[in-house]
């Protein structure tokens, strides 16, 4: 009998030893989860009240109770309703926290802005940082000064995504109320040829402590598909920049049939016309100060073709001549860093796009490795930071690439990523590329019958100029260390 009873008892003992720890863990986990849920629920009730326990009006379910409902006996709350209320109130609490954080950043910005402005009054005009560049566009025209609209009346572009079957707006915008931008400029639909407008822009850029404008440039008689020839305005821009001790570098656009042969010819024209201007931006290479050229969409021409012009041994070489310069190629894909080096682009590359994740080069997560690669190979890496991106007033189908500004938080992460990559030069996209919503130029609220424009509220029209100034100071301080 003892032998018969021994086996069931032993089986129970072995089973208990194997699974008791699992049962204890399940019980502890379930108890903790329930306790935490009720604790958070209780905390949420406290958050919904002021210091004297009076309810605060809100859209929250927890905070919608009226005075007459307080005396009513509460109904039992189901577990599902409890979870729903918890997550609803958690979202509201996070939004309040973010709002307070933005307010603190704004207050800090305003305090630092007033201090730095007072300090700059006693400083020399060299207070700008020539290692900070900003992309600037001179393609805007209005009916008052130019007799017609250009770019403000931008057309809706056709959809790149052929598989997208949705119907989108077509035609062109009708300024001055309806424009090809999701934001509305504080200066209105201005003409880039207006000297007062240009002077205002130079002052705003200088106040932001940016030292170099990278201005869109086409050869004589050429322009983008939406605008008029712009080369004649480049000299006007150089003169305006000189008055504010700013510098200008050309942003060579992908003009029609661009290749190293005609580019070298256009380069000779550019140097003959602008090469001696004191506002033309130069960087030192060896014992020479050479003009700097940003070459947009450089990857459209094979590296071997560029090498003929940019290599000292190339058949079209400009090296060592009066047309020599420092050329920066656009890095879009990972492979482009090798192509740019092979093409003899002075080992320099920039990323331009303000949309994080749009390309390999514009993805912040890759900047640290790109910075490391440039340092190891003696190259110059120029990351392009931007405050956000939205272009649905010209590409209504491009919703996937929208990057909301989040009251300057997006811009902050971009700057921090550039600083973490140990960049020695930083470019900003952009001062006034209104079509793609990357501008830091002041914008104002505006509503028309068919559209509500975005704005910088509650921080105000100058928020991104002030924020840029703050980050340029941070960048300058890091360079000095």
């Amino acid at each position: 009998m003892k032998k018969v009873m021994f086996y069931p008892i032993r089986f129970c003992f072995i089973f208990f030893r194997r699974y008791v720890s699992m049962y204890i863990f399940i019980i502890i986990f379930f108890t903790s989860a329930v306790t935490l849920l009720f604790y958070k629920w209780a905390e949420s009730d406290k958050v919904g009240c002021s210091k004297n326990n009076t309810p605060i009006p809100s859209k929250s379910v927890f905070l919608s109770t009226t005075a007459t409902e307080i005396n009513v006996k509460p109904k039992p709350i189901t577990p599902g309703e409890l979870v729903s209320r918890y997550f609803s109130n958690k979202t509201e609490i996070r939004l309040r926290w973010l709002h307070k954080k933005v307010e603190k950043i704004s207050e800090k910005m305003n305090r630092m802005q007033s201090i730095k402005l007072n300090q700059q009054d006693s400083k020399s005009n060299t207070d700008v940082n020539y290692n900070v560049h900003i992309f600037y566009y001179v393609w805007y025209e209005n009916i008052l000064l130019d007799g017609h609209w250009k770019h403000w009346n931008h057309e809706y572009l056709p959809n790149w995504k052929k598989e997208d079957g949705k119907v989108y707006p077509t035609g062109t915008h009708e300024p001055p109320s309806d424009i090809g931008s999701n934001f509305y400029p504080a200066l209105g639909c201005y003409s880039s040829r207006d000297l007062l407008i240009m002077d205002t822009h130079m002052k705003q850029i200088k106040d932001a402590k940016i030292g170099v404008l990278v201005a869109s440039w086409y050869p004589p008689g050429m322009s983008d598909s939406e605008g008029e020839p712009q080369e004649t305005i480049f000299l006007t821009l150089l003169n305006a920049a000189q008055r504010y001790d700013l510098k200008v570098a050309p942003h060579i656009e992908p003009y029609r049939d661009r290749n190293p042969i005609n580019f070298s010819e256009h380069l000779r024209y550019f140097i003959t016309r602008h090469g001696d201007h004191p506002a033309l931006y130069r960087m030192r290479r060896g014992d020479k100060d050479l003009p700097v050229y940003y070459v947009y969409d450089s990857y459209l021409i094979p590296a071997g073709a560029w090498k003929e012009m940019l290599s000292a041994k190339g058949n079209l070489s400009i090296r060592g001549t009066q047309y020599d310069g420092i050329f920066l190629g656009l890095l879009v894909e990972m492979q482009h860093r090798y192509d740019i080096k092979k093409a003899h682009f002075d080992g320099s590359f920039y990323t331009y796009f303000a949309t994080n994740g749009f390309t390999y080069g514009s993805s912040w997560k890759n900047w640290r490795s790109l910075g490391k690669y440039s340092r190891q190979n003696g190259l110059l890496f120029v990351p392009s930071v931007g405050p956000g991106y939205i272009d649905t007033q010209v590409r209504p189908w491009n919703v996937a690439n929208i990057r909301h500004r989040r009251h300057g938080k997006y811009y902050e992460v971009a700057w921090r990523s550039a600083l973490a990559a140990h960049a020695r030069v930083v470019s900003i996209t952009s001062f006034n590329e209104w079509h793609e919503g990357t501008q830091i130029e002041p914008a104002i609220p505006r509503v028309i019958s068919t559209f509500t424009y975005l704005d910088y509220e509650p921080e105000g029209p100058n928020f991104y100029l002030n924020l840029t100034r703050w980050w340029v100071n941070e960048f300058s301080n890091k360079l000095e260390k």
Side-chain angles (χ1 to χ4, degrees):
M1 186 68 179
K2 288 181 181 180
K3 194 171 183 179
V4 172
M5 291 181 62
F6 176 75
Y7 289 99
I9 294 172
R10 185 179 179 186
F11 175 79
C12 291
F13 179 73
I14 293 172
F15 181 85
F16 178 81
R17 286 186 60 184
R18 285 185 179 179
Y19 297 100
V20 68
S21 57
M22 183 181 69
Y23 289 146
I24 293 174
F25 175 80
I26 292 173
I27 293 170
I28 292 174
F29 177 81
F30 179 79
T31 306
S32 301
V34 172
T35 304
L36 180 62
L37 183 63
F38 279 97
Y39 175 76
K40 290 291 184 180
W41 181 32
E43 270 196 330
S44 299
D45 278 335
K46 292 179 183 179
V47 171
C49 296
S50 61
K51 290 183 180 179
N52 57 4
N53 291 326
T54 58
I56 300 173
S58 173
K59 294 180 182 179
S60 169
V61 178
F62 281 5
L63 305 180
S64 61
T65 309
T66 62
T68 55
E69 290 174 330
I70 294 176
N71 296 325
V72 179
K73 186 176 180 180
K75 296 180 180 180
I77 302 175
T78 64
E81 185 181 2
L82 178 63
V83 173
S84 177
R85 289 188 178 187
Y86 165 66
F87 283 107
S88 174
N89 208 54
K90 184 178 180 182
T91 302
E92 183 179 338
I93 294 170
R94 176 164 179 78
L95 287 174
R96 289 184 180 182
W97 174 79
L98 285 173
H99 182 69
K100 289 181 179 179
K101 189 168 184 179
V102 168
E103 285 182 345
K104 289 180 180 179
I105 293 173
S106 182
E107 290 174 3
K108 183 178 179 182
M109 278 289 307
N110 291 333
R111 287 196 302 270
M112 294 195 69
Q113 173 70 2
S114 61
I115 294 171
K116 296 297 181 183
L117 281 175
N118 292 334
Q119 289 178 350
Q120 189 185 18
D121 291 340
S122 61
K123 289 186 177 182
S124 67
N125 288 332
T126 58
D127 200 32
V128 296
N129 189 327
Y130 294 114
N131 288 328
V132 179
H133 305 174
I134 191 163
F135 295 102
Y136 183 83
Y137 293 89
V138 292
W139 55 29
Y140 300 104
E141 298 183 19
N142 65 23
I143 199 166
L144 181 64
L145 191 67
D146 307 289
H148 51 249
W149 296 105
K150 287 296 181 182
H151 274 274
W152 299 118
N153 63 338
H154 203 294
E155 68 170 341
Y156 287 101
L157 298 176
N159 196 347
W160 293 338
K161 306 171 183 176
K162 302 303 180 184
E163 70 280 3
D164 188 350
K166 295 181 181 178
V167 177
Y168 296 99
T170 58
T172 60
H173 291 275
E174 298 179 0
S177 57
D178 173 29
I179 65 173
S181 171
N182 292 77
F183 295 84
Y184 201 89
L187 293 175
C189 298
Y190 55 77
S191 169
S192 295
R193 300 176 189 274
D194 189 329
L195 298 182
L196 291 177
I197 293 293
M198 190 176 289
D199 195 72
T200 300
H201 285 172
M202 297 305 106
K203 185 178 185 305
Q204 290 172 338
I205 291 171
K206 182 180 175 94
D207 286 344
K209 302 188 74 172
I210 299 165
V212 179
L213 291 76
V214 183
S216 180
W217 187 85
Y218 286 87
M222 297 187 185
S223 69
D224 66 284
S225 60
E226 293 286 330
E228 295 285 329
Q230 304 165 16
E231 207 289 324
T232 55
I233 201 175
F234 198 84
L235 180 59
T236 308
L237 182 62
L238 286 168
N239 292 335
Q242 184 182 3
R243 290 194 292 272
Y244 287 87
D245 291 302
L246 302 175
K247 304 294 181 183
V248 183
H251 196 190
I252 311 298
E253 298 286 358
Y255 55 83
R256 185 178 61 256
D257 299 326
R258 186 180 68 180
N259 60 61
I261 297 175
N262 60 42
F263 180 51
S264 61
E265 294 173 355
H266 295 315
L267 191 63
R268 287 175 172 82
Y269 167 86
F270 181 87
I271 290 298
T272 301
R273 183 170 173 82
H274 306 299
D276 294 330
H277 202 289
L280 185 64
Y281 179 60
R282 297 171 178 269
M283 292 179 70
R284 179 163 286 272
R285 188 179 68 197
D287 58 349
K288 295 182 179 180
D289 291 324
L290 301 175
V292 174
Y293 303 90
Y294 283 76
V295 184
Y296 188 72
D297 279 356
S298 54
Y299 58 86
L300 295 177
I301 297 175
W306 280 120
K307 187 177 180 181
E308 292 297 317
M309 173 184 166
L310 300 178
S311 169
K313 297 180 180 179
N315 294 324
L316 302 171
S317 179
I318 59 169
R319 298 306 187 187
T321 71
Q322 61 178 318
Y323 308 112
D324 200 356
I326 294 176
F327 297 84
L328 282 78
L330 177 63
L331 188 143
V332 176
E333 301 174 1
M334 182 178 180
Q335 177 62 32
H336 291 164
R337 60 181 179 176
Y338 308 113
D339 295 338
I340 287 170
K341 185 178 179 182
K342 179 181 177 181
H344 288 254
F345 267 98
D346 299 286
S348 306
F349 50 89
Y350 70 111
T351 61
Y352 184 76
F353 299 105
T355 307
N356 177 40
F358 178 58
T359 68
Y360 176 85
S362 71
S363 300
W364 301 334
K365 65 180 182 180
N366 298 326
W367 287 1
R368 195 183 289 267
S369 63
L370 286 172
K372 183 179 180 181
Y373 173 82
S374 65
R375 290 190 300 275
Q376 290 175 342
N377 292 275
L379 315 178
L380 177 64
F381 170 48
V382 184
S384 302
V385 301
Y389 186 96
I390 182 167
D391 64 353
T392 52
Q393 280 293 82
V394 294
R395 301 183 186 97
W397 37 267
N398 197 28
V399 177
N401 286 316
I402 293 175
R403 300 295 183 269
H404 294 292
R405 297 188 173 219
R406 298 186 293 132
H407 302 279
K409 295 298 292 179
Y410 183 90
Y411 200 30
E412 175 187 342
V413 179
W415 269 102
R416 290 192 184 280
S417 300
L419 268 59
H422 303 287
R424 305 295 295 178
V425 178
V426 173
S427 56
I428 301 171
T429 307
S430 63
F431 180 80
N432 61 342
E433 220 296 13
W434 289 93
H435 305 311
E436 296 182 344
T438 61
Q439 78 290 334
I440 65 168
E441 183 183 355
I444 56 173
R446 187 178 176 94
V447 179
I448 60 175
S449 59
T450 57
F451 189 71
T452 299
Y453 290 94
L454 301 175
D455 53 58
Y456 307 156
E457 301 305 314
E459 291 80 14
N462 294 323
F463 176 62
Y464 285 96
L465 289 176
N466 295 338
L467 193 58
T468 299
R469 180 183 177 87
W470 192 86
W471 279 109
V472 173
N473 281 329
E474 291 292 297
F475 178 59
S476 300
N477 293 335
K478 183 168 184 178
L479 288 179
E480 292 173 359
K481 292 180 181 178

